[in-house]
Amino acid sequence: MNISLVILAYNEEKFIKDVVSKYINYFDEVIVVNDNSRDETKNIIQNLEKNYENLTLINNTKNFGAGKSLEIGINHFLESKNDYLIKIDGDDQFSFHDVIFLKDLIQKEHFDFIKCDRFWHDGIIGKIPTIRYLGNSFASFLIKFSTGSWSINDPLNGLFLFSKNILSDFKLPKLFYRYGYPFFVVTDSIKKSIVKDIKIGQFKNEIKYQNELSNLNPIVMFFKLIWYTLKNYYSKINLKIKISEFQISALLDIFSQVSFIFSIYSFYKIIIIRYFSYNGPQGIWFMVCLIFLFTAIYLISLSQKIEKKVTKSKIIEINRI
């Protein structure tokens, strides 16, 4: 069984040599995708290439972003004879022990996809910015709603393991070329479990913070994740309606959206009665709004319970050693 490691690197001259050196002898191929770094990252990797036959450097012609760099690395992996791919970043935030644990695990037990979760009592080393706590909490809620898998946590964690099978039709939307690509990776993998018998795991990993600066715009990320969550939710309804086991779940989703639309209309009636001198029974419209809103919520929860029962894949919690 052959395993590749892909390292995403942008201006990582401080860390990239150590990161490559510590992993190079553990993997059949180490792929470094240099996202048009402005520092010495490229030169450092080129010098290392002279010493290691299993080291491959891919230089992006311009700065595409981390998400697009991942897709480029995946496409290279798919052309190889290797069976699995582990993805890390070049900033040395991920624990060496965790990465090697995943590599050893896959040689004993098959998984199609493993995502990680840093939010446990020993998962964060150093100080993580408060905005990231809030952002991940919000993203966790969105992905639970979008996928129906309420055991999924930390959807913005960037440590992954993939089988070649689950990556065969991988296509990253342009929306995630720069930021938020882990959210798509997790959502897309879970969505595939509706039609494929795939094995998904979640592993509690460690991430080290050293006062790194982030270029992430939280406002842009906020709207990006909301838009994609809704898009994925409705596209999943379209997928479920075509599969007999999921059709009841899809119909419940559709009825929930009808109820939600009526609740919005009722809320509109309340506003125009209260603030624009429109004649009408405000109290009755308020009750109607609540009835339709709670009906929508109930139907969504019922749909997700049905989906969970018939889905072909469960999220398996992987215990640390």
Side-chain angles (χ1 to χ4, degrees):
M1 182 182 298
N2 297 325
I3 305 175
S4 295
L5 177 74
V6 62
I7 304 173
L8 306 186
Y10 176 66
N11 292 343
E12 300 294 356
E13 63 180 5
K14 294 181 180 179
F15 306 105
I16 195 63
K17 183 177 180 180
D18 290 339
V19 172
V20 171
S21 298
K22 75 167 75 173
Y23 290 112
I24 193 68
N25 293 320
Y26 288 88
F27 291 89
D28 297 282
E29 182 179 22
V30 173
I31 309 158
V32 179
V33 183
N34 171 40
D35 196 19
N36 198 18
S37 297
R38 299 177 182 179
D39 60 6
E40 291 298 308
T41 298
K42 176 181 177 180
N43 293 333
I44 292 170
I45 301 302
Q46 285 178 332
N47 289 331
L48 289 173
E49 271 191 306
K50 299 173 184 177
N51 301 321
Y52 301 107
E53 292 184 358
N54 62 328
L55 177 60
T56 300
L57 172 63
I58 300 175
N59 287 306
N60 292 344
T61 55
K62 63 179 182 178
N63 182 249
F64 292 123
K68 183 61 177 179
S69 295
L70 172 62
E71 185 177 53
I72 291 170
I74 286 174
N75 290 337
H76 177 87
F77 161 73
L78 291 174
E79 294 176 356
S80 73
K81 296 181 180 180
N82 296 342
D83 306 295
Y84 292 93
L85 176 68
I86 293 177
K87 176 266 166 184
I88 66 172
D89 296 321
D91 56 9
D92 203 25
Q93 281 191 310
F94 298 123
S95 163
F96 173 78
H97 171 80
D98 290 345
V99 177
I100 300 305
F101 174 84
L102 294 179
K103 173 185 175 291
D104 293 340
L105 173 68
I106 206 64
Q107 295 179 10
K108 302 172 186 177
E109 184 179 0
H110 169 73
F111 281 90
D112 289 288
F113 176 64
I114 297 176
K115 68 164 297 296
C116 292
D117 175 16
R118 84 195 89 170
F119 294 107
W120 56 288
H121 59 84
D122 287 329
I124 295 174
I125 301 172
K127 185 177 181 181
I128 180 174
T130 302
I131 189 66
R132 292 200 176 188
Y133 271 120
L134 297 175
N136 269 281
S137 297
F138 179 68
S140 292
F141 169 76
L142 289 180
I143 205 163
K144 292 173 192 294
F145 167 77
S146 175
T147 63
S149 298
W150 289 82
S151 60
I152 287 292
N153 300 306
D154 195 9
L156 299 179
N157 194 316
L159 177 57
F160 298 115
L161 182 145
F162 306 93
S163 71
K164 182 164 281 185
N165 173 51
I166 203 170
L167 291 176
S168 59
D169 56 352
F170 184 85
K171 180 64 177 177
L172 185 74
K174 191 173 182 180
L175 180 71
F176 293 109
Y177 275 9
R178 294 201 169 273
Y179 311 118
Y181 69 90
F183 189 91
F184 168 80
V185 169
V186 176
T187 303
D188 184 62
S189 298
I190 295 175
K191 187 176 178 181
K192 287 176 180 177
S193 69
I194 293 177
V195 293
K196 292 183 179 181
D197 187 11
I198 61 177
K199 189 174 181 180
I200 300 176
Q202 182 168 249
F203 173 66
K204 288 182 170 59
N205 72 319
E206 296 177 350
I207 294 185
K208 176 176 59 180
Y209 289 91
Q210 301 176 354
N211 299 318
E212 297 89 349
L213 295 176
S214 174
N215 295 321
L216 187 147
N217 187 321
I219 297 177
V220 172
M221 181 65 70
F222 175 82
F223 288 105
K224 181 185 294 188
L225 294 185
I226 289 179
W227 183 88
Y228 182 73
T229 295
L230 293 175
K231 180 177 182 294
N232 180 73
Y233 176 74
Y234 291 116
S235 67
K236 192 173 70 168
I237 294 175
N238 184 54
L239 176 63
K240 290 193 295 184
I241 202 71
K242 300 174 184 177
I243 304 171
S244 58
E245 294 176 303
F246 291 91
Q247 285 177 344
I248 297 300
S249 175
L251 288 174
L252 288 171
D253 284 326
I254 293 171
F255 290 143
S256 73
Q257 296 310 294
V258 173
S259 294
F260 183 71
I261 290 171
F262 278 119
S263 72
I264 294 296
Y265 176 75
S266 302
F267 183 73
Y268 161 76
K269 295 291 286 186
I270 294 170
I271 295 299
I272 62 174
I273 292 171
R274 184 175 182 85
Y275 296 105
F276 296 96
S277 301
Y278 187 86
N279 293 326
Q282 180 179 325
I284 293 178
W285 279 113
F286 178 75
M287 293 300 299
V288 170
C289 178
L290 289 180
I291 290 171
F292 278 118
L293 180 61
F294 285 118
T295 299
I297 294 171
Y298 173 74
L299 291 175
I300 289 173
S301 64
L302 187 60
S303 168
Q304 293 189 344
K305 287 181 181 179
I306 295 173
E307 182 181 330
K308 185 177 180 180
K309 287 182 180 179
V310 299
T311 187
K312 298 180 183 296
S313 178
K314 310 297 182 189
I315 310 301
I316 300 171
E317 289 291 336
I318 301 170
N319 295 322
R320 296 178 60 84
I321 296 178

